[in-house]
Amino acid sequence: MKKLLGGLNEDQRRAVETTEGPLLVLAGAGTGKTRVITVRTAYLLNAGVSPESILLVTFTNKAAREMRERLKKMVGKKKAEQLTCGTFHSFCIRLLREHHEKLDLPEAFGICDGSDQMTAIKGALRELRIPEQQVNPRAAQSRISLYKNSCVSPDQAIDEAADDWELAVAHCFRKYEEHLRRSRVLDFDDFLLFAMRLLTEHEEVREQLEERYKYVMIDEYQDTNGPQYGIMHAIVRGHRNLCVVGDDDQSIYGWRGADISKILGFEKDFPGADKVHLGINYRSTEEIIDAANKVIRNNPKRHEKSLRSALGTGSSIPILRMDDETHEASYIATEIEALVREGSNRYGDIAILVRTAQQPRAFEAELRGFDIPYKLVGGMSFFDRKEVRDILSYLRLIANPADETSFLRIANIPARGIGKTTIDKVVTAATETGTGAFPTFRRLVEDGTIGGAAAKGFVKLRESLNVAHAYAQQGDLVFTVTELLNLIEYRSEVDRIYPDDQTRELRWNGVMEILNFAENYQRKDKKPTLTGFLEALTLDESDRKDKDDGDNDSVTLMTLHSAKGLEFRRVYLVGVEEGIMPHIRSATEGTVDEERRLMYVGVTRAQHELSISYCAARAKFGKLVPCHPSRFLFEMKEKTPPDDWMAAGSTPPPPPPVRKKAKRRARRRRM
DNA sequence: TGTGTCCGAGACGAA
DNA sequence: CTCGGACACA
């Protein structure tokens, strides 16, 4: 026990030792949050709590894995493997698979991922004859998700629609839901909603969980949304042994329904809760912490607190004005090249953090130009690649014959002469009769409405997939995938579509990569199933990342959102301009505070050196337009922006808030 | 029906 | 500029 607590500061220790009753741990960036959670878990175990009684909820699967690894070292493999540790989503899925019959769900329900959602929404809009320029599918998707997370039903949404746009989206919502249910799939929001329903409608299940999980811990509590809160609350409301850990200043998922008021109001939700504030930052120099504090204190609604650095002074933070994004990228690439050449940094020490998904473009070009190894985190996922989605759609259809999105997608893959017209006929007929797309397809072929050998052949192919299903049942996934590839002659399809040798190989590699995943999964999982395999791929972003993730020495290029929780010796925070950070949309949506938190997250990723830059102009839609330094930079320097700062015509932004500094203090103290 | 070209809209984040 | 959709053609 002694040993466990050794090395913890007073606050950390208090958080670990407060095991009974509700506890709020406010853990600023870099204050040893993960350490506290793992030690607290180990502490509970050492005190005799059974590992089965502990529920540990993390924000990502990666975090869950790492947590478990750490615990293995502290309490042994056995115990670490017995505790329940995962994201809300994976926890809920497990629950739903176990209790599927209570909710009238098939056991092997499929998962509708983001891109399937988009397909489904576009389909719904088309059925409703709503042109996409009237309702942007993307906007519809996010609104629908918002409805779902606030437990608004389609009918309610229709009733309460305030204008035409909302009405259109609400109808789209209804169609979308019908589509999901018909396809027997759940989207990400559904996991939570169905789990919530399970707990409300089946008291015995709720009691069973409450009985089992006597100690519950939630990490990244600031990112918890309504349904997640409901689920958690249902489990702990009896014993109230709940420990939530988070930082309201790092709440950056409001757009995804995360509800920052939950962490702000924790003490109201759980009267008598203990509160521990971890305020000592072990990650960054004083300059960096100081900058972070100065920015974040401009947010009105937050737990009052500020960070102190345990590291002492370091170097000052340059704020650099660049001509445009190309200049910014080449400047930074040059600097990185020099730093590494002279030995002050390794590539792996360095991260370039961006706000938006298109910013990396310029950097990729320059980094490549300088032969600097880099890895781009986020961006187009492996699973957005056409060939990968093709195969996956087939696999989903094999696992879940009702999956309409997948069925419609593969109907003409490889191209077999089943075009838009045919599909439209099928969809219309299917909607009218309320039958599934494939039965409808078969019926239309049989009664001659759709003719042709192509259609007949496809019916046959579709039926032979049932055979594949049988293999899959036996758990031989590699065999299933291989057979599938043969059956649909996918290799020749790839050869046909990509005449260029290089792309062809690239594409085929994507296909082979799925085989690798399957092989891996099959080897690691005790009871491999196709459904489980697809679930693992869809749910766990980090599983898909190339294995080179860890140790190879390269510069990290990523968005601020994916940087949360990480740290780097040297960080370049780029494109810090009005309209980018804060993002243009935040003004109309009233989310500038969240943008500020994003800035705060970015600044606090840096351990020793932080360099901030903004551009005087930037190419937008192929045209160069002037930009202005972000208000956050003024806040950081405690200056007021000049009156003409954003004035329309004042082309090149007025004063760079400040330039590099000359007075450099003893760089010694930071070890 | 598949393929190619033109056109207009766009623009953040991800389990 | 860069994508996806619409449209025209073979």
Side-chain angles (χ1 to χ4, degrees):
Chain A
M1 210 57 95
K2 266 265 170 54
K3 198 160 141 242
L4 263 185
L5 297 174
L8 295 186
N9 68 33
E10 197 183 321
D11 294 325
Q12 292 172 329
R13 178 183 290 229
R14 196 151 68 81
V16 168
E17 289 177 334
T18 310
T19 59
E20 308 302 305
L23 170 68
L24 167 63
V25 180
L26 283 175
T31 54
K33 179 185 65 150
T34 316
R35 181 109 189 279
V36 165
I37 299 177
T38 46
V39 174
R40 190 171 187 275
T41 310
Y43 183 86
L44 283 169
L45 292 170
N46 284 1
V49 173
S50 148
E52 272 124 34
S53 311
I54 298 177
L55 171 60
L56 210 57
V57 181
T58 58
F59 189 61
T60 63
N61 289 290
K62 185 154 162 257
R65 245 191 327 268
E66 288 168 1
M67 196 86 74
R68 212 190 277 276
E69 285 310 312
R70 283 177 174 226
L71 279 162
K72 275 187 192 165
K73 293 192 188 112
M74 298 168 80
V75 300
K77 195 166 177 216
K78 181 128 176 286
K79 282 188 178 175
E81 275 170 359
Q82 282 172 321
L83 49 90
T84 308
C85 175
T87 61
F88 269 110
H89 288 85
S90 61
F91 176 68
C92 289
I93 277 216
R94 211 176 318 154
L95 224 49
L96 296 178
R97 296 246 190 255
E98 189 179 337
H99 299 283
H100 64 97
E101 75 302 331
K102 298 196 179 68
L103 293 167
D104 204 21
L105 283 172
E107 184 177 13
F109 59 81
I111 299 173
C112 173
D113 68 15
S115 119
D116 294 331
Q117 274 185 340
M118 203 53 100
T119 313
I121 286 169
K122 284 180 181 172
L125 289 174
R126 189 180 307 184
E127 274 182 60
L128 293 164
R129 312 274 130 106
I130 300 170
E132 287 186 13
Q133 46 275 58
Q134 200 175 312
V135 173
N136 174 319
R138 234 186 126 93
Q141 183 194 15
S142 84
R143 175 56 75 94
I144 288 171
S145 177
L146 208 57
Y147 280 137
K148 295 182 77 156
N149 281 315
S150 341
C151 302
V152 175
S153 72
D155 290 336
Q156 247 172 302
I158 291 173
D159 285 347
E160 291 163 13
D163 54 38
D164 290 352
W165 187 85
E166 287 193 356
L167 189 64
V169 172
H171 280 285
C172 175
F173 179 22
R174 178 150 75 188
K175 278 258 182 271
Y176 170 75
E177 286 290 303
E178 285 167 8
H179 172 90
L180 293 190
R181 300 296 82 89
R182 212 167 46 229
S183 292
R184 316 188 124 230
V185 298
L186 302 185
D187 66 17
F188 286 111
D189 299 324
D190 284 330
F191 300 155
L192 307 173
L193 296 178
F194 278 66
M196 192 60 226
R197 224 177 80 202
L198 178 69
L199 297 179
T200 344
E201 293 172 7
H202 298 269
E203 177 63 14
E204 77 282 5
V205 177
R206 192 197 68 76
E207 280 171 9
Q208 185 194 320
L209 288 171
E210 178 173 71
E211 178 68 18
R212 168 166 179 186
Y213 294 114
K214 302 224 174 58
Y215 293 90
V216 175
M217 273 182 263
I218 318 261
D219 191 10
E220 306 284 10
Y221 188 64
Q222 74 283 356
D223 292 322
T224 305
N225 69 18
Q228 289 169 339
Y229 175 83
I231 291 162
M232 177 251 346
H233 193 265
I235 297 175
V236 305
R237 72 181 186 220
H239 53 62
R240 301 207 322 153
N241 283 333
L242 167 70
C243 166
V244 303
V245 184
D247 180 3
D248 46 314
D249 291 335
Q250 292 184 70
S251 168
I252 54 175
Y253 284 99
W255 52 275
R256 226 164 74 185
D259 186 357
I260 189 175
S261 71
K262 288 293 183 286
I263 193 167
L264 292 175
F266 184 78
E267 293 147 293
K268 239 181 266 149
D269 286 348
F270 293 89
D274 279 307
K275 173 162 133 183
V276 174
H277 173 214
L278 307 181
I280 306 180
N281 173 294
Y282 297 97
R283 175 189 294 155
S284 316
T285 62
E286 275 171 18
E287 284 79 358
I288 291 165
I289 295 305
D290 182 54
N293 282 333
K294 281 183 178 149
V295 171
I296 200 64
R297 73 179 176 211
N298 289 283
N299 269 3
K301 282 201 220 127
R302 54 190 291 261
H303 284 286
E304 197 49 49
K305 58 190 151 39
S306 80
L307 282 181
R308 301 184 301 285
S309 164
L311 296 198
T313 41
S315 32
S316 59
I317 303 171
I319 296 179
L320 307 171
R321 176 180 183 278
M322 306 291 184
D323 297 340
D324 57 39
E325 75 272 15
T326 315
H327 177 214
E328 184 178 48
S330 68
Y331 181 92
I332 290 173
T334 313
E335 186 168 295
I336 291 176
E337 199 269 331
L339 285 165
V340 173
R341 182 159 32 80
E342 76 200 21
S344 13
N345 283 109
R346 299 169 61 242
Y347 292 123
D349 294 338
I350 303 172
I352 301 171
L353 304 183
V354 301
R355 171 66 183 86
T356 70
Q358 72 263 26
Q359 280 170 271
R361 188 164 291 204
F363 288 93
E364 284 201 86
E366 293 298 328
L367 292 171
R368 254 192 237 129
F370 280 80
D371 275 328
I372 296 173
Y374 71 93
K375 63 185 165 206
L376 177 64
V377 179
M380 175 150 105
S381 130
F382 175 69
F383 283 59
D384 291 336
R385 291 161 61 170
K386 169 175 158 43
E387 71 280 12
V388 176
R389 291 204 72 80
D390 285 351
I391 301 307
L392 244 39
S393 294
Y394 268 103
L395 292 176
R396 286 177 181 195
L397 192 60
I398 291 171
N400 172 22
D403 188 332
E404 295 203 354
T405 310
S406 299
F407 172 76
L408 295 174
R409 176 181 169 89
I410 57 98
N412 200 34
I413 290 174
R416 55 171 70 87
I418 296 174
K420 208 162 77 84
T421 327
T422 313
I423 294 296
D424 274 350
K425 273 189 210 157
V426 173
V427 172
T428 315
T431 318
E432 274 167 15
T433 60
T435 40
F438 179 60
T440 309
F441 188 94
R442 186 165 42 194
R443 184 169 57 81
L444 295 185
V445 170
E446 279 162 8
D447 70 19
T449 316
I450 23 190
K456 288 213 184 71
F458 178 58
V459 170
K460 217 165 130 242
L461 173 72
R462 171 68 188 79
E463 279 163 353
S464 52
L465 291 179
N466 296 331
V467 181
H469 179 68
Y471 298 138
Q473 288 299 55
Q474 291 157 25
D476 194 344
L477 302 178
V478 175
F479 184 68
T480 307
V481 177
T482 318
E483 283 300 288
L484 171 69
L485 293 175
N486 289 337
L487 182 68
I488 62 178
E489 303 179 70
Y490 200 69
R491 179 77 221 221
S492 22
E493 171 72 356
V494 170
D495 291 345
R496 188 186 67 84
I497 311 186
Y498 310 105
D500 166 49
D501 280 359
Q502 223 185 337
T503 19
R504 179 187 299 179
E505 190 177 341
L506 195 74
R507 298 295 174 154
W508 187 248
N509 281 346
V511 177
M512 289 299 105
E513 202 54 26
I514 299 181
L515 261 179
N516 287 342
F517 282 138
E519 202 272 324
N520 248 314
Y521 173 80
Q522 195 168 316
R523 189 155 33 78
K524 282 205 215 120
D525 201 283
K526 291 180 203 86
K527 212 175 145 282
T529 62
L530 183 51
T531 310
F533 173 59
L534 293 170
E535 182 179 304
L537 287 184
T538 315
L539 231 48
D540 194 343
E541 178 83 12
S542 51
D543 273 1
R544 332 160 163 179
K545 293 273 135 66
D546 316 320
K547 47 258 136 203
D548 71 2
D549 235 28
D551 9 83
N552 80 20
D553 185 28
S554 50
V555 172
T556 304
L557 179 54
M558 61 161 78
T559 63
L560 288 163
H561 282 88
S562 31
K564 189 165 73 145
L566 306 179
E567 56 187 23
F568 301 89
R569 279 191 71 94
R570 171 181 290 270
V571 166
Y572 291 92
L573 197 51
V574 306
V576 186
E577 296 141 35
E578 283 295 305
I580 292 202
M581 190 152 63
H583 191 271
I584 184 91
R585 245 166 66 178
S586 66
T588 50
E589 291 178 0
T591 53
V592 173
D593 289 356
E594 181 153 315
E595 297 291 310
R596 193 175 280 108
R597 293 193 288 267
L598 215 35
M599 178 79 185
Y600 175 80
V601 167
V603 169
T604 52
R605 295 312 94 193
Q607 298 172 304
H608 293 292
E609 287 89 24
L610 172 64
S611 164
I612 297 179
S613 53
Y614 63 91
C615 298
R618 180 177 287 276
K620 281 181 189 159
F621 300 135
K623 259 218 298 282
L624 207 60
V625 306
C627 303
H628 311 277
S630 167
R631 68 192 74 178
F632 301 149
L633 297 178
F634 293 96
E635 293 173 0
M636 191 178 278
K637 294 296 170 188
E638 301 180 292
K639 297 222 166 117
T640 315
D643 293 344
D644 61 344
W645 162 55
M646 288 278 282
S650 75
T651 343
V658 151
R659 272 246 17 173
K660 240 190 169 152
K661 241 5 315 107
K663 61 167 137 156
R664 71 179 26 150
R665 295 185 254 182
R667 302 185 69 183
R668 296 267 131 110
R669 294 183 51 189
R670 71 166 155 94
M671 40 181 357

